[in-house]
Amino acid sequence: MELKSMTGFGRSEISNDLYRLSVELKSVNSRFLDLNIKMPKKFNALEANIRNTVKEFITRGKVDLFITYETFSESGQSLRLNLELANEYLNSIRKISSELHLEDNVKVTNIALLPDVLTLSEESEDDEALWERLKPVLREALERFVTTRIVEGKNLQTDLLDKLSEMEAIVERIDQRSPEIAQTFEKKLREKLTELLGTSGIDESRIVQEVTMYSDKVCTDEERVRLHSHIKTMRNKLVSGGPVGRELDFLAQEMNREANTTLSKANDLIVSEDAIALKTLIEKIREQIQNLE
């Protein structure tokens, strides 16, 4: 499956002697599928069909869908007369004339111009026929929309895989550095004790004990193993593709937790700098993941 961005755009239109119909979609990031449809009232009965079709192509994102429809047929509109309302207007006007002793000079044109007596409305169209017109245009717009998401998804995939390689290199540096931390501590401890007590006063068993306690305190073996595992899992999911944004966001949170623990344990300048670099990369990865479906 292809990896897709949540940012996309797609448009399709059909125009002939009878009508012009266009569908346009655009989207930004969202945790779930948030579909907002703007369309003429005559399409309201088709909303369920529209939403179901969109779900075939999109699983996440804040999507705005615009449908415009224009008919060219002269029979597309009709003038409707509300005779009951016209009678009510006339009776009310005559009552005013009678009560206020005014001349009754009402004309037909006066009544016809009153609100809602004459209304121009569009002829209703069969819902099934409307759907048959809309469906191919909607699907074509969705296909173009998905294509733009795939193109952007490939760019994100390349960037994220590069960042994972950088992370892996940093973790491997910490792997190599970790044994040296205890050795450096032991060397400094011996130098200090020799300075204070001389070589004859050094208790080897106490040194071994201190070095062991220190090694346990600064050990990041578990964190580094989990970081390697998370990097591998994220890389596999990126390569496999599909709607993996939420899973990758969870993995990035776990990576950040391990990097934080490594930073807090590391009583070493080199490891601390690498752990900070890890956290910076993870934050960049999380920002990019927010764009993935």
Side-chain angles (χ1 to χ4, degrees), residues 163-175 220 223-224 226-228 231 252 254-263 270-286:
K163 284 180 169 58
L164 285 177
S165 295
E166 290 182 54
M167 279 187 62
E168 199 162 44
I170 292 173
V171 178
E172 287 173 355
R173 284 206 305 269
I174 297 175
D175 289 342
T220 58
E223 288 76 17
R224 286 182 284 111
R226 284 194 287 266
L227 277 168
H228 281 300
I231 291 170
E254 293 299 306
M255 288 176 171
N256 193 55
R257 184 177 292 111
E258 304 303 339
N260 278 330
T261 306
T262 300
L263 181 60
I270 296 175
V271 173
S272 295
E273 289 177 349
D274 279 337
I276 291 171
L278 267 181
K279 284 174 58 64
T280 302
L281 273 173
I282 292 168
E283 185 59 33
K284 290 179 179 178
I285 285 173
R286 287 197 69 184

Side-chain angles (χ1 to χ4, degrees), residues 10 15 18 26 37 82 140 148-149 185 204 231 244 259 288:
S15 182
L18 298 177
K26 60 181 181 178
I37 305 174
N82 190 333
E140 184 174 72
T148 64
R149 279 187 153 196
F185 173 77
E204 288 295 332
I231 291 170
V244 294
Q288 292 288 57

Side-chain angles (χ1 to χ4, degrees), residues 13 37 47 56 109 115 132 207 235:
E13 179 178 304
I37 305 174
E47 183 172 349
E56 293 178 26
T109 52
E132 290 305 313
I207 288 179
R235 181 181 285 116

Side-chain angles (χ1 to χ4, degrees), residues 79-94 96 106-120:
L79 190 63
R80 299 182 183 275
L81 167 62
N82 190 333
L83 192 57
E84 182 179 348
L85 181 61
N87 277 321
E88 290 183 15
Y89 276 129
L90 181 59
N91 291 333
S92 296
I93 291 171
R94 286 176 174 171
I96 293 171
V106 65
K107 296 180 180 179
V108 174
T109 52
N110 299 132
I111 300 295
L113 292 173
L114 290 171
D116 299 324
V117 174
L118 293 174
T119 55
L120 189 65

Side-chain angles (χ1 to χ4, degrees), residues 218-236:
V218 300
C219 179
T220 58
D221 289 357
E222 292 182 10
E223 288 76 17
R224 286 182 284 111
V225 167
R226 284 194 287 266
L227 277 168
H228 281 300
S229 175
H230 293 332
I231 291 170
K232 181 180 178 181
T233 301
M234 185 174 286
R235 181 181 285 116
N236 289 340

